[in-house]
Amino acid sequence: MRAEWYKDRVFYQIWPRSFCDGNGDGIGDLYGVYGKLDYLKSLGVGGIWFSPLYPSPNADYGYDISDYCAIHPDYGDLEIFKKVVERAHELDIKIVMDLVVNHTSDEHEWFQKSRDKDSPYRGYYFWKKGKKPGRPPNNWDSFFENEAWSYDERSGEYYLHLFHRKQVDLNMDNPAVRGEIKRILRFWLDLGVDGFREDVITLISKPEGLPDDRFGVGVKGMRLYESGPHIHEYLQEFRTEVLDGYDCFVVGEAPLMTTKKALGYLEGEHPDLDMMFSFQHMEADCFFTEYMPLPFDLRKLKRAFTKWQDALEWNALYLENHDHPRVISRYGSEKYHDESGKMLAACYLLLKGTPFVYQGQEIGMTNIALPSIEDYKDCMALKHYYNDVRRKSPDKVLPKIQKATRDNSRTPVQWSAEAHAGFSSAEPWFAVNGNYRSINVAAQEKDPGSLLNFYRALIAFRSGSRTVRFGDYRELCPGHPHLYVYTRSFEGETLLVLCSFTEKPCRFSLPDGPAWGAPELLFANYPCKSGETAFTTRPYETRVYRVRADR
Ligand code: NOJ
C-alpha cells in the first residue's frame, strides 16, 4: 500500500542557505531550521521539503552535489540533521529530501575518477569525442550555458551537461549508476526521511547514441530526452526495489510536461511517481521561462490550473519555489501587497492537491532589484545577462534580469525588523530585501489580520475540510479576464473561491437558484457586508464562500 498521508498535509519548502542562520556565520543552516520547527508547526505545516543540504561547490547552489550521503558543512552535519528529523517527527512534520540525480557536481569523486579513460567510473557519465576537432558531439543546448558539452583536456573528450558545466549528466543506462541511486535512496530512508522531491527527473533517460536534434526549436535536444526512452523503466526500478519498502512518497519535477504524458507517470496500480510539479501555471506572464516576459494574462493562468485540475486525480500545488521570482511581484501587486498576497493564497491553497508553500511566501516576500550584475549569484541569470549584453546595452539588460532572476526568491527570510532581518547575527551571505522593516514574520505575528495569519487560517481550514481534500473542481466564468472563480463540491457542500487579479472594479454575483442555498462567507481580504450576493470587487479582492451545504 502506498502512503496517502501526503494528501492531507501542506508542505513547506526550505532553501537552506537563506532560511535561518543558527550559528552566526551569515549562512542559513540546520541549527536555524531546528529553532523554527515550532513556527512551522504553528503555520499548520505537515511536511518540509529541503532543497539540497548536501556538500556542493554551489555552482548552482546545492543542485550540483559532490557527496550524496552527507550534509554540507555550511548547514551542519548528520547529527543535527537527525535531530531535525526527530523533532519534526515529534511535531508530526514529515521530511522530504531533494534527490538530484540527473547530474552530479564535476567535483564529485565519481566524475573526477571518470576523467581517467580506464576508470570503472568512465561509464557513469557521457564521455564522447567531438564530431570534428573543436566541434561538440551533438547540437544540444544547455539550460545554463550555451552548449551542453564541455571539453576536458585531461580526457581529450567532451562530457555532457544539460545544465551548468559543473553539473555533469549521469548515464542512467549504466546499471552501476542506478545501483548508486538506490543506495542513496536507502541511505536517507534509513535515516528516517519520508520522501523525495526528484529534480528534473523526467530528463534522466537519454536517447541511445545521443543524436543531433534536427528540429531546432526551443532548447535543442530536449524533445529527445524529455520523458526519454527508458524513463518509466528506471522509475519503476527505484520504486520496486527501494521505495515500495518504505512508507514514503515521491514528487517529481517535470519541466515541459503535458497532462497527457503526466498520466503515464501518475496513473495505474503502481505509478512511477505520486505527484508531479508541472510548470504551465508559472508561465502566465512569460513564454517558457521568465526570461521571455509577456504581460500577465489571467486567462493563461486559469487555463493551466483548470487543465491540470481536470486531468489529474491529484496535483502538487505551488506558486513559488527557489526557481521563480516572488509571486506577489508577478501575478499580484506590490502596491496591494497584503490584499494580493491573500488573494494568491486563496487562489491555490483550496485547489485539489498537496500545496507547497515556499519560505517567505507566507509573509509575502517580494522581488529585489540589485544595482549591478556583480551582485547576482544565479548562474542562469548570469548566462542570460552575458549573452544579451553582446547585443544590447547593459541598462536594457539589467532590468530584465532584476525581474526574472531566481535570486528574487533566494534572499534571506525576513524574520523581524532587527538587523539583517533577524535572519542572522552576522552579515548575510546574500542581500536582504530592504522592505524587511515592514514585511517580516514578527510584525505579522502580532497582527491578527496579517497575511501570515491568513495563511494559517486557510491551512487550518484546508486540513479540516473533506471538500477541499476530495471535492470536485469546477471553474466558473472561464473567459473573464480579471476574475478567477472556482467551486469545490463534495457530499452536498460547495465552496466557492473568488479571486480578483486586478485593481479594477469588477461586478460579480454569486450563483443563485434553489440549488445554492444561503452563502456563508468563510474568508475575505476586505470587510464585507453580510448577506451580500452581488457586489463590485475591490483591488485584488478574494472571498471564499460556503454556498451550499445540504448535510
Ligand atoms: C531544477 C532545480 O529546481 C533548479 O534549481 C536547478 O537549477 C535545476 N533543476 C538543475 O538541477
Side-chain angles (χ1 to χ4, degrees), residues 503-522:
E503 47 178 287
K504 293 187 197 139
C506 300
R507 275 309 281 173
F508 182 75
S509 303
L510 289 169
D512 58 9
W516 290 94
E520 178 195 348
L521 185 65
L522 302 177

Side-chain angles (χ1 to χ4, degrees), residues 465 467 488-495 546 548-551:
S465 167
T467 304
R488 302 289 317 280
S489 304
F490 183 68
E491 291 184 344
E493 177 176 86
T494 294
L495 302 173
R546 182 178 284 133
R548 190 164 68 95
D550 292 340
R551 279 181 297 172

Side-chain angles (χ1 to χ4, degrees), residues 101-102 170 172 200-206 231 234-235 238:
V101 292
N102 177 68
L170 280 166
M172 208 53 69
V200 291
I201 198 69
T202 48
L203 312 185
I204 61 171
S205 169
K206 312 295 189 294
I231 182 69
Y234 298 158
L235 294 180
F238 301 151

Side-chain angles (χ1 to χ4, degrees), residues 60 63 100 103 144 163 167 197 199-200 253 322-323 406 410:
D60 187 22
Y63 287 88
V100 187
H103 40 264
F144 294 167
F163 294 88
Q167 292 171 295
R197 173 266 188 190
D199 189 66
V200 291
E253 187 203 24
H322 64 292
D323 287 336
R406 305 185 297 174
R410 298 175 178 187

Side-chain angles (χ1 to χ4, degrees), residues 261-445:
K261 271 200 228 170
L263 292 174
Y265 289 88
L266 300 165
E267 281 210 319
E269 279 294 290
H270 195 252
D272 301 337
L273 304 169
D274 297 298
M275 287 189 289
M276 191 173 260
F277 283 122
S278 61
F279 281 67
Q280 283 167 6
H281 68 288
M282 299 310 290
E283 291 161 6
D285 61 354
C286 57
F287 175 68
F288 183 47
T289 67
E290 286 90 13
Y291 286 95
M292 294 179 227
L294 294 169
F296 172 68
D297 181 349
L298 176 64
R299 275 171 293 208
K300 259 172 102 181
L301 180 67
K302 297 199 293 184
R303 272 201 300 276
F305 274 146
T306 297
K307 193 166 171 203
W308 285 79
Q309 287 285 303
D310 286 347
L312 268 56
E313 201 260 319
W314 201 256
N315 277 275
L317 308 169
Y318 73 97
L319 285 178
E320 282 193 5
N321 64 34
H322 64 292
D323 287 336
H324 301 281
R326 294 287 184 176
V327 72
I328 289 186
S329 306
R330 295 180 63 182
Y331 297 175
S333 156
E334 290 181 11
K335 178 172 166 205
Y336 293 100
H337 176 263
D338 175 72
E339 294 82 356
S340 70
K342 289 174 178 168
M343 181 280 289
L344 288 160
C347 116
Y348 91 110
L349 280 175
L350 300 174
L351 290 172
K352 190 171 190 177
T354 299
F356 288 74
V357 177
Y358 178 64
Q359 63 188 35
Q361 180 186 334
E362 74 277 21
I363 54 165
M365 283 179 62
T366 60
N367 284 356
I368 190 171
L370 299 172
S372 144
I373 193 64
E374 270 82 51
D375 300 320
Y376 285 96
K377 315 261 185 204
D378 168 13
C379 59
M380 180 148 79
L382 299 179
K383 161 188 160 169
H384 287 288
Y385 180 86
Y386 289 110
N387 275 346
D388 286 3
V389 289
R390 287 197 220 131
R391 291 170 284 113
K392 295 181 200 152
S393 97
D395 311 350
K396 294 252 160 19
V397 184
L398 189 62
K400 200 171 151 192
I401 299 295
Q402 289 168 330
K403 212 170 154 225
T405 172
R406 305 185 297 174
D407 281 340
N408 280 312
S409 55
R410 298 175 178 187
T411 61
V413 170
Q414 296 163 205
W415 293 103
S416 72
E418 281 162 27
H420 313 308
F423 161 76
S424 173
S425 53
E427 183 67 29
W429 75 280
F430 190 41
V432 173
N433 195 315
N435 63 18
Y436 75 91
R437 287 181 199 84
S438 54
I439 301 175
N440 64 65
V441 173
Q444 295 197 21
E445 286 285 8

